[in-house]
mmCIF file of all heavy atoms in Angstrom:
data_model
loop_
_atom_site.group_PDB
_atom_site.id
_atom_site.type_symbol
_atom_site.label_atom_id
_atom_site.label_comp_id
_atom_site.label_asym_id
_atom_site.label_seq_id
_atom_site.Cartn_x
_atom_site.Cartn_y
_atom_site.Cartn_z
ATOM 1 N N GLY A 216 13.147 6.696 -13.597
ATOM 2 C CA GLY A 216 13.369 5.773 -14.645
ATOM 3 C C GLY A 216 12.845 4.374 -14.358
ATOM 4 O O GLY A 216 13.320 3.414 -15.021
ATOM 5 N N TRP A 217 11.918 4.219 -13.416
ATOM 6 C CA TRP A 217 11.375 3.004 -13.090
ATOM 7 C C TRP A 217 10.294 2.691 -14.268
ATOM 8 O O TRP A 217 9.639 3.497 -14.816
ATOM 9 C CB TRP A 217 10.490 3.051 -11.784
ATOM 10 C CG TRP A 217 11.322 3.404 -10.608
ATOM 11 C CD1 TRP A 217 12.711 3.312 -10.452
ATOM 12 C CD2 TRP A 217 10.757 3.844 -9.381
ATOM 13 N NE1 TRP A 217 13.126 3.762 -9.176
ATOM 14 C CE2 TRP A 217 11.941 4.048 -8.487
ATOM 15 C CE3 TRP A 217 9.505 4.073 -8.928
ATOM 16 C CZ2 TRP A 217 11.759 4.493 -7.209
ATOM 17 C CZ3 TRP A 217 9.308 4.491 -7.560
ATOM 18 C CH2 TRP A 217 10.412 4.756 -6.733
ATOM 19 N N PRO A 218 10.162 1.359 -14.609
ATOM 20 C CA PRO A 218 9.088 1.033 -15.611
ATOM 21 C C PRO A 218 7.783 1.317 -14.943
ATOM 22 O O PRO A 218 7.525 1.072 -13.802
ATOM 23 C CB PRO A 218 9.338 -0.464 -15.709
ATOM 24 C CG PRO A 218 10.128 -1.015 -14.538
ATOM 25 C CD PRO A 218 10.994 0.175 -14.145
ATOM 26 N N VAL A 219 6.974 2.072 -15.732
ATOM 27 C CA VAL A 219 5.602 2.447 -15.224
ATOM 28 C C VAL A 219 4.553 1.727 -16.230
ATOM 29 O O VAL A 219 4.549 1.838 -17.315
ATOM 30 C CB VAL A 219 5.427 3.917 -15.229
ATOM 31 C CG1 VAL A 219 3.966 4.330 -14.858
ATOM 32 C CG2 VAL A 219 6.388 4.545 -14.383
ATOM 33 N N TYR A 220 3.639 0.946 -15.461
ATOM 34 C CA TYR A 220 2.625 0.224 -16.199
ATOM 35 C C TYR A 220 1.300 0.913 -15.866
ATOM 36 O O TYR A 220 1.121 1.493 -14.710
ATOM 37 C CB TYR A 220 2.512 -1.203 -15.693
ATOM 38 C CG TYR A 220 3.810 -1.952 -15.980
ATOM 39 C CD1 TYR A 220 4.873 -1.855 -15.034
ATOM 40 C CD2 TYR A 220 4.068 -2.825 -17.130
ATOM 41 C CE1 TYR A 220 6.078 -2.621 -15.310
ATOM 42 C CE2 TYR A 220 5.201 -3.524 -17.246
ATOM 43 C CZ TYR A 220 6.238 -3.431 -16.369
ATOM 44 O OH TYR A 220 7.371 -4.091 -16.528
ATOM 45 N N GLU A 221 0.385 0.958 -16.848
ATOM 46 C CA GLU A 221 -0.944 1.503 -16.558
ATOM 47 C C GLU A 221 -1.934 0.515 -16.448
ATOM 48 O O GLU A 221 -1.914 -0.532 -17.212
ATOM 49 C CB GLU A 221 -1.155 2.608 -17.778
ATOM 50 C CG GLU A 221 -0.288 3.836 -17.664
ATOM 51 C CD GLU A 221 -0.752 4.948 -18.573
ATOM 52 O OE1 GLU A 221 -1.695 4.635 -19.400
ATOM 53 O OE2 GLU A 221 -0.041 5.991 -18.632
ATOM 54 N N LEU A 222 -2.874 0.733 -15.618
ATOM 55 C CA LEU A 222 -4.022 -0.135 -15.382
ATOM 56 C C LEU A 222 -5.372 0.644 -15.446
ATOM 57 O O LEU A 222 -5.418 1.625 -14.671
ATOM 58 C CB LEU A 222 -3.908 -0.817 -13.980
ATOM 59 C CG LEU A 222 -4.794 -2.075 -13.724
ATOM 60 C CD1 LEU A 222 -4.444 -3.237 -14.738
ATOM 61 C CD2 LEU A 222 -4.496 -2.612 -12.310
ATOM 62 N N ALA A 223 -6.202 0.285 -16.484
ATOM 63 C CA ALA A 223 -7.313 1.183 -16.770
ATOM 64 C C ALA A 223 -8.468 0.790 -15.743
ATOM 65 O O ALA A 223 -9.444 0.211 -16.142
ATOM 66 C CB ALA A 223 -7.790 0.958 -18.197
ATOM 67 N N THR A 224 -8.168 1.236 -14.463
ATOM 68 C CA THR A 224 -9.257 1.083 -13.464
ATOM 69 C C THR A 224 -8.952 2.136 -12.382
ATOM 70 O O THR A 224 -8.023 2.894 -12.487
ATOM 71 C CB THR A 224 -9.215 -0.360 -12.784
ATOM 72 O OG1 THR A 224 -10.405 -0.584 -12.059
ATOM 73 C CG2 THR A 224 -7.958 -0.548 -12.027
ATOM 74 N N GLY A 225 -9.800 2.136 -11.267
ATOM 75 C CA GLY A 225 -9.606 3.251 -10.344
ATOM 76 C C GLY A 225 -8.616 2.797 -9.373
ATOM 77 O O GLY A 225 -7.908 1.805 -9.422
ATOM 78 N N HIS A 226 -8.392 3.833 -8.355
ATOM 79 C CA HIS A 226 -7.338 3.628 -7.435
ATOM 80 C C HIS A 226 -7.387 2.406 -6.595
ATOM 81 O O HIS A 226 -6.306 1.813 -6.416
ATOM 82 C CB HIS A 226 -7.441 4.947 -6.371
ATOM 83 C CG HIS A 226 -6.338 5.042 -5.423
ATOM 84 N ND1 HIS A 226 -4.976 5.167 -5.788
ATOM 85 C CD2 HIS A 226 -6.333 5.035 -4.067
ATOM 86 C CE1 HIS A 226 -4.358 5.159 -4.686
ATOM 87 N NE2 HIS A 226 -5.071 5.106 -3.643
ATOM 88 N N ASP A 227 -8.506 1.900 -6.207
ATOM 89 C CA ASP A 227 -8.572 0.624 -5.486
ATOM 90 C C ASP A 227 -8.642 -0.467 -6.512
ATOM 91 O O ASP A 227 -9.609 -1.252 -6.497
ATOM 92 C CB ASP A 227 -9.879 0.689 -4.568
ATOM 93 C CG ASP A 227 -9.505 1.083 -3.181
ATOM 94 O OD1 ASP A 227 -8.467 1.693 -2.999
ATOM 95 O OD2 ASP A 227 -10.246 0.598 -2.226
ATOM 96 N N ALA A 228 -7.612 -0.581 -7.228
ATOM 97 C CA ALA A 228 -7.545 -1.614 -8.342
ATOM 98 C C ALA A 228 -7.762 -3.034 -7.902
ATOM 99 O O ALA A 228 -8.421 -3.860 -8.510
ATOM 100 C CB ALA A 228 -6.239 -1.547 -9.078
ATOM 101 N N MET A 229 -7.415 -3.411 -6.712
ATOM 102 C CA MET A 229 -7.559 -4.779 -6.118
ATOM 103 C C MET A 229 -9.057 -5.121 -5.947
ATOM 104 O O MET A 229 -9.356 -6.249 -5.906
ATOM 105 C CB MET A 229 -6.742 -4.933 -4.886
ATOM 106 C CG MET A 229 -7.271 -4.243 -3.590
ATOM 107 S SD MET A 229 -7.219 -2.485 -3.656
ATOM 108 C CE MET A 229 -5.429 -2.297 -3.553
ATOM 109 N N VAL A 230 -9.860 -4.024 -5.795
ATOM 110 C CA VAL A 230 -11.277 -4.231 -5.680
ATOM 111 C C VAL A 230 -12.008 -4.216 -6.933
ATOM 112 O O VAL A 230 -12.859 -5.078 -7.392
ATOM 113 C CB VAL A 230 -11.837 -3.200 -4.662
ATOM 114 C CG1 VAL A 230 -13.368 -3.312 -4.565
ATOM 115 C CG2 VAL A 230 -11.344 -3.394 -3.298
ATOM 116 N N THR A 231 -11.753 -3.158 -7.833
ATOM 117 C CA THR A 231 -12.430 -2.905 -8.984
ATOM 118 C C THR A 231 -12.041 -3.791 -10.284
ATOM 119 O O THR A 231 -12.705 -4.016 -11.177
ATOM 120 C CB THR A 231 -12.331 -1.375 -9.380
ATOM 121 O OG1 THR A 231 -10.960 -1.019 -9.529
ATOM 122 C CG2 THR A 231 -13.026 -0.589 -8.351
ATOM 123 N N ASP A 232 -10.587 -4.190 -10.218
ATOM 124 C CA ASP A 232 -10.188 -4.981 -11.273
ATOM 125 C C ASP A 232 -9.183 -6.042 -10.708
ATOM 126 O O ASP A 232 -8.008 -5.980 -10.990
ATOM 127 C CB ASP A 232 -9.547 -4.160 -12.374
ATOM 128 C CG ASP A 232 -9.228 -5.041 -13.519
ATOM 129 O OD1 ASP A 232 -9.548 -6.314 -13.674
ATOM 130 O OD2 ASP A 232 -8.515 -4.466 -14.481
ATOM 131 N N PRO A 233 -9.705 -6.910 -9.946
ATOM 132 C CA PRO A 233 -8.645 -7.933 -9.241
ATOM 133 C C PRO A 233 -7.984 -8.821 -10.246
ATOM 134 O O PRO A 233 -6.793 -9.097 -10.090
ATOM 135 C CB PRO A 233 -9.672 -8.753 -8.267
ATOM 136 C CG PRO A 233 -11.037 -8.563 -8.871
ATOM 137 C CD PRO A 233 -11.065 -7.296 -9.440
ATOM 138 N N LEU A 234 -8.669 -9.214 -11.388
ATOM 139 C CA LEU A 234 -8.060 -10.053 -12.366
ATOM 140 C C LEU A 234 -6.922 -9.274 -13.113
ATOM 141 O O LEU A 234 -5.806 -9.752 -13.223
ATOM 142 C CB LEU A 234 -9.011 -10.591 -13.344
ATOM 143 C CG LEU A 234 -8.516 -11.495 -14.431
ATOM 144 C CD1 LEU A 234 -7.750 -12.752 -13.909
ATOM 145 C CD2 LEU A 234 -9.590 -11.886 -15.414
ATOM 146 N N GLY A 235 -7.282 -8.044 -13.418
ATOM 147 C CA GLY A 235 -6.174 -7.214 -14.127
ATOM 148 C C GLY A 235 -5.032 -6.959 -13.186
ATOM 149 O O GLY A 235 -3.871 -6.977 -13.643
ATOM 150 N N THR A 236 -5.397 -6.718 -11.884
ATOM 151 C CA THR A 236 -4.252 -6.483 -10.951
ATOM 152 C C THR A 236 -3.465 -7.696 -10.752
ATOM 153 O O THR A 236 -2.185 -7.612 -10.704
ATOM 154 C CB THR A 236 -4.919 -6.041 -9.641
ATOM 155 O OG1 THR A 236 -5.696 -4.790 -9.795
ATOM 156 C CG2 THR A 236 -3.898 -5.782 -8.522
ATOM 157 N N ALA A 237 -4.023 -8.875 -10.605
ATOM 158 C CA ALA A 237 -3.293 -10.088 -10.373
ATOM 159 C C ALA A 237 -2.501 -10.403 -11.597
ATOM 160 O O ALA A 237 -1.282 -10.811 -11.482
ATOM 161 C CB ALA A 237 -4.298 -11.220 -10.083
#
Side-chain angles (χ1 to χ4, degrees):
W217 302 342
V219 176
Y220 302 82
E221 293 189 353
L222 195 58
T224 192
H226 183 62
D227 262 24
M229 74 291 292
V230 173
T231 56
D232 186 10
L234 180 59
T236 301

